[in-house]
Amino acid sequence: LELWLGAASGRFALFRRYPICKWSGTLGPKLAEGDLQAPEGFYRVNAGQLNPHSRHHRGFNLGFPNAFDRALGRTGSALMVHGGCSSTGCFAMTDPQIEEIYTVVEAALNAGQTEIDVAIFPFRLSETALQSEAQNPWLGFWRNLKQGADLFEATGRPPAVASCEGSYRFGSEASGPGCTPIAGWA
């Protein structure tokens, strides 16, 4: 898990990398409640998704299924980034790690940021990595995720993201008829 913070330059800078203690599933996105997969895609978290009293120390709900997932009929609930080291579709970070992550997320939301962006990728989306997965049925989906990752890398800022007719769209293309912005819980 990488935590990025806005810098004075207007770009985001890497604050810290954390090893994920435990996640479940295999490569590929979560499709249905109970499949034990962790989600892949773009999510937004607002203050209503924070859980300071999680049974796993602290946590925040990723907001799965988002507008993209719902458009594709994907189901699931209570998918979190949390403490501890067990997972049934969540990202378990250990208690000391989630304490720091949660504190930064909560501080950003308390300081007036309405939502934080969360991008979940199955691996670093380099062209080499994608080519090694050329036979994987999720390759097209991962190439779509790479568009958002590349835009973040180019601009240094999380792009606007929307679900548009069965795919993610980013930046100026993330609006218009048939598009639903990716947002935290209403």
Side-chain angles (χ1 to χ4, degrees), residues 35-111:
D35 67 6
L36 302 181
Q37 285 289 104
E40 295 175 3
F42 293 88
Y43 299 87
R44 300 203 78 205
V45 175
N46 64 31
Q49 291 165 253
L50 299 180
N51 185 353
H53 306 294
S54 167
R55 67 183 175 110
H56 298 288
H57 184 55
R58 296 194 185 283
F60 55 89
N61 193 305
L62 291 166
F64 181 93
N66 65 16
F68 174 82
D69 300 313
R70 288 190 307 273
L72 296 177
R74 296 176 180 173
T75 60
S77 59
L79 294 163
M80 313 275 289
V81 175
H82 60 68
C85 193
S86 63
S87 171
T88 56
C90 298
F91 297 97
M93 302 304 301
T94 76
D95 291 353
Q97 290 182 142
I98 196 61
E99 187 67 37
E100 182 170 278
I101 295 163
Y102 186 95
T103 298
V104 171
V105 169
E106 184 179 46
L109 295 170
N110 286 341

Side-chain angles (χ1 to χ4, degrees), residues 25-36:
T26 59
L27 292 179
K30 180 164 192 65
L31 301 177
E33 182 83 40
D35 67 6
L36 302 181

